[in-house]
mmCIF file of all heavy atoms in Angstrom:
data_model
loop_
_atom_site.group_PDB
_atom_site.id
_atom_site.type_symbol
_atom_site.label_atom_id
_atom_site.label_comp_id
_atom_site.label_asym_id
_atom_site.label_seq_id
_atom_site.Cartn_x
_atom_site.Cartn_y
_atom_site.Cartn_z
ATOM 1 N N ILE A 124 65.590 61.560 -14.270
ATOM 2 C CA ILE A 124 65.764 62.974 -13.951
ATOM 3 C C ILE A 124 64.571 63.710 -14.556
ATOM 4 O O ILE A 124 64.289 63.561 -15.741
ATOM 5 C CB ILE A 124 67.059 63.540 -14.528
ATOM 6 C CG1 ILE A 124 68.293 62.828 -13.959
ATOM 7 C CG2 ILE A 124 67.168 65.041 -14.243
ATOM 8 C CD1 ILE A 124 69.607 63.244 -14.582
ATOM 9 N N THR A 125 63.889 64.492 -13.745
ATOM 10 C CA THR A 125 62.801 65.315 -14.249
ATOM 11 C C THR A 125 63.151 66.791 -14.096
ATOM 12 O O THR A 125 63.805 67.198 -13.126
ATOM 13 C CB THR A 125 61.467 65.056 -13.542
ATOM 14 O OG1 THR A 125 61.539 65.506 -12.170
ATOM 15 C CG2 THR A 125 61.096 63.599 -13.584
ATOM 16 N N GLU A 126 62.716 67.574 -15.069
ATOM 17 C CA GLU A 126 62.779 69.032 -14.988
ATOM 18 C C GLU A 126 61.347 69.543 -15.169
ATOM 19 O O GLU A 126 60.705 69.252 -16.182
ATOM 20 C CB GLU A 126 63.601 69.613 -16.138
ATOM 21 C CG GLU A 126 65.090 69.508 -16.068
ATOM 22 C CD GLU A 126 65.700 70.301 -17.221
ATOM 23 O OE1 GLU A 126 65.847 69.730 -18.329
ATOM 24 O OE2 GLU A 126 66.020 71.482 -17.034
ATOM 25 N N ALA A 127 60.846 70.273 -14.178
ATOM 26 C CA ALA A 127 59.541 70.903 -14.291
ATOM 27 C C ALA A 127 58.428 69.894 -14.614
ATOM 28 O O ALA A 127 57.513 70.201 -15.367
ATOM 29 C CB ALA A 127 59.582 72.008 -15.345
ATOM 30 N N ALA A 128 58.519 68.724 -14.050
ATOM 31 C CA ALA A 128 57.498 67.691 -14.303
ATOM 32 C C ALA A 128 56.217 68.005 -13.528
ATOM 33 O O ALA A 128 56.245 68.653 -12.470
ATOM 34 C CB ALA A 128 58.003 66.317 -13.863
ATOM 35 N N LEU A 196 65.932 62.232 -9.585
ATOM 36 C CA LEU A 196 66.383 63.603 -9.309
ATOM 37 C C LEU A 196 65.330 64.537 -9.862
ATOM 38 O O LEU A 196 65.039 64.519 -11.059
ATOM 39 C CB LEU A 196 67.743 63.883 -9.944
ATOM 40 C CG LEU A 196 68.231 65.346 -9.871
ATOM 41 C CD1 LEU A 196 68.404 65.783 -8.427
ATOM 42 C CD2 LEU A 196 69.528 65.529 -10.648
ATOM 43 N N VAL A 197 64.767 65.376 -9.005
ATOM 44 C CA VAL A 197 63.686 66.288 -9.387
ATOM 45 C C VAL A 197 64.236 67.703 -9.402
ATOM 46 O O VAL A 197 64.587 68.257 -8.353
ATOM 47 C CB VAL A 197 62.511 66.185 -8.385
ATOM 48 C CG1 VAL A 197 61.330 67.019 -8.859
ATOM 49 C CG2 VAL A 197 62.095 64.739 -8.187
ATOM 50 N N ILE A 198 64.302 68.294 -10.584
ATOM 51 C CA ILE A 198 64.837 69.646 -10.753
ATOM 52 C C ILE A 198 63.693 70.580 -11.128
ATOM 53 O O ILE A 198 62.872 70.266 -11.994
ATOM 54 C CB ILE A 198 65.937 69.681 -11.835
ATOM 55 C CG1 ILE A 198 67.133 68.823 -11.426
ATOM 56 C CG2 ILE A 198 66.387 71.116 -12.119
ATOM 57 C CD1 ILE A 198 68.219 68.737 -12.475
ATOM 58 N N GLN A 199 63.647 71.739 -10.485
ATOM 59 C CA GLN A 199 62.637 72.724 -10.858
ATOM 60 C C GLN A 199 63.166 74.143 -10.569
ATOM 61 O O GLN A 199 63.827 74.383 -9.555
ATOM 62 C CB GLN A 199 61.335 72.504 -10.092
ATOM 63 C CG GLN A 199 60.222 73.480 -10.525
ATOM 64 C CD GLN A 199 58.840 72.915 -10.307
ATOM 65 O OE1 GLN A 199 58.605 71.722 -10.527
ATOM 66 N NE2 GLN A 199 57.902 73.752 -9.885
ATOM 67 N N GLY A 200 62.849 75.052 -11.484
ATOM 68 C CA GLY A 200 63.151 76.450 -11.238
ATOM 69 C C GLY A 200 62.211 77.023 -10.194
ATOM 70 O O GLY A 200 61.010 76.748 -10.214
ATOM 71 N N VAL A 211 57.210 69.229 -6.893
ATOM 72 C CA VAL A 211 58.478 68.640 -6.426
ATOM 73 C C VAL A 211 58.258 67.862 -5.129
ATOM 74 O O VAL A 211 58.714 66.722 -4.985
ATOM 75 C CB VAL A 211 59.535 69.732 -6.208
ATOM 76 C CG1 VAL A 211 60.808 69.151 -5.634
ATOM 77 C CG2 VAL A 211 59.829 70.467 -7.525
ATOM 78 N N SER A 222 65.058 62.795 -4.741
ATOM 79 C CA SER A 222 65.754 63.940 -4.182
ATOM 80 C C SER A 222 65.495 65.134 -5.070
ATOM 81 O O SER A 222 65.197 64.988 -6.260
ATOM 82 C CB SER A 222 67.262 63.681 -4.075
ATOM 83 O OG SER A 222 67.811 63.423 -5.369
ATOM 84 N N ALA A 223 65.589 66.339 -4.519
ATOM 85 C CA ALA A 223 65.195 67.532 -5.273
ATOM 86 C C ALA A 223 66.300 68.560 -5.315
ATOM 87 O O ALA A 223 67.125 68.675 -4.398
ATOM 88 C CB ALA A 223 63.959 68.147 -4.642
ATOM 89 N N LYS A 224 66.304 69.322 -6.401
ATOM 90 C CA LYS A 224 67.160 70.494 -6.539
ATOM 91 C C LYS A 224 66.301 71.650 -7.067
ATOM 92 O O LYS A 224 65.804 71.586 -8.192
ATOM 93 C CB LYS A 224 68.322 70.227 -7.501
ATOM 94 C CG LYS A 224 69.206 71.452 -7.766
ATOM 95 C CD LYS A 224 69.854 71.964 -6.505
ATOM 96 C CE LYS A 224 70.721 73.193 -6.774
ATOM 97 N NZ LYS A 224 71.358 73.683 -5.518
ATOM 98 N N ILE A 225 66.112 72.663 -6.229
ATOM 99 C CA ILE A 225 65.370 73.849 -6.624
ATOM 100 C C ILE A 225 66.402 74.913 -7.047
ATOM 101 O O ILE A 225 67.333 75.211 -6.286
ATOM 102 C CB ILE A 225 64.506 74.386 -5.472
ATOM 103 C CG1 ILE A 225 63.661 73.269 -4.882
ATOM 104 C CG2 ILE A 225 63.637 75.542 -5.950
ATOM 105 C CD1 ILE A 225 62.761 72.562 -5.852
ATOM 106 N N ILE A 226 66.220 75.469 -8.223
ATOM 107 C CA ILE A 226 67.189 76.423 -8.759
ATOM 108 C C ILE A 226 66.629 77.827 -8.694
ATOM 109 O O ILE A 226 65.572 78.117 -9.272
ATOM 110 C CB ILE A 226 67.578 76.053 -10.201
ATOM 111 C CG1 ILE A 226 68.191 74.634 -10.213
ATOM 112 C CG2 ILE A 226 68.560 77.066 -10.780
ATOM 113 C CD1 ILE A 226 68.640 74.160 -11.572
ATOM 114 N N PRO A 233 65.261 74.894 -16.777
ATOM 115 C CA PRO A 233 66.550 74.963 -16.084
ATOM 116 C C PRO A 233 67.754 74.631 -16.966
ATOM 117 O O PRO A 233 68.820 75.242 -16.801
ATOM 118 C CB PRO A 233 66.392 73.928 -14.956
ATOM 119 C CG PRO A 233 64.915 73.915 -14.683
ATOM 120 C CD PRO A 233 64.270 74.100 -16.039
ATOM 121 N N HIS A 234 67.624 73.679 -17.889
ATOM 122 C CA HIS A 234 68.794 73.276 -18.675
ATOM 123 C C HIS A 234 69.266 74.366 -19.624
ATOM 124 O O HIS A 234 70.389 74.300 -20.138
ATOM 125 C CB HIS A 234 68.545 71.971 -19.433
ATOM 126 C CG HIS A 234 67.485 72.051 -20.477
ATOM 127 N ND1 HIS A 234 66.146 71.794 -20.217
ATOM 128 C CD2 HIS A 234 67.538 72.332 -21.800
ATOM 129 C CE1 HIS A 234 65.447 71.919 -21.313
ATOM 130 N NE2 HIS A 234 66.260 72.252 -22.306
ATOM 131 N N GLU A 240 74.501 75.060 -13.566
ATOM 132 C CA GLU A 240 74.021 74.441 -12.325
ATOM 133 C C GLU A 240 73.251 73.154 -12.613
ATOM 134 O O GLU A 240 73.422 72.150 -11.919
ATOM 135 C CB GLU A 240 73.142 75.429 -11.554
ATOM 136 C CG GLU A 240 72.792 74.961 -10.157
ATOM 137 C CD GLU A 240 72.111 76.033 -9.328
ATOM 138 O OE1 GLU A 240 71.969 77.183 -9.805
ATOM 139 O OE2 GLU A 240 71.686 75.713 -8.184
ATOM 140 N N THR A 241 72.415 73.189 -13.646
ATOM 141 C CA THR A 241 71.671 71.996 -14.028
ATOM 142 C C THR A 241 72.591 70.881 -14.482
ATOM 143 O O THR A 241 72.431 69.718 -14.103
ATOM 144 C CB THR A 241 70.655 72.339 -15.148
ATOM 145 O OG1 THR A 241 69.791 73.378 -14.694
ATOM 146 C CG2 THR A 241 69.839 71.131 -15.557
ATOM 147 N N GLU A 244 74.302 69.289 -11.442
ATOM 148 C CA GLU A 244 73.413 68.414 -10.670
ATOM 149 C C GLU A 244 73.162 67.101 -11.400
ATOM 150 O O GLU A 244 73.186 66.021 -10.800
ATOM 151 C CB GLU A 244 72.083 69.119 -10.409
ATOM 152 C CG GLU A 244 72.171 70.313 -9.480
ATOM 153 C CD GLU A 244 72.623 69.938 -8.068
ATOM 154 O OE1 GLU A 244 72.278 68.828 -7.615
ATOM 155 O OE2 GLU A 244 73.321 70.751 -7.428
ATOM 156 N N MET A 245 72.903 67.189 -12.692
ATOM 157 C CA MET A 245 72.642 65.975 -13.460
ATOM 158 C C MET A 245 73.879 65.073 -13.525
ATOM 159 O O MET A 245 73.763 63.860 -13.403
ATOM 160 C CB MET A 245 72.155 66.333 -14.849
ATOM 161 C CG MET A 245 70.756 66.900 -14.917
ATOM 162 S SD MET A 245 70.156 66.982 -16.626
ATOM 163 C CE MET A 245 68.545 67.743 -16.398
#
Side-chain angles (χ1 to χ4, degrees):
I124 299 175
T125 67
E126 284 187 273
L196 172 62
V197 186
I198 297 177
Q199 184 153 321
V211 176
S222 61
K224 176 62 180 180
I225 309 303
I226 301 181
H234 65 270
E240 190 171 356
T241 302
E244 293 296 327
M245 288 191 182

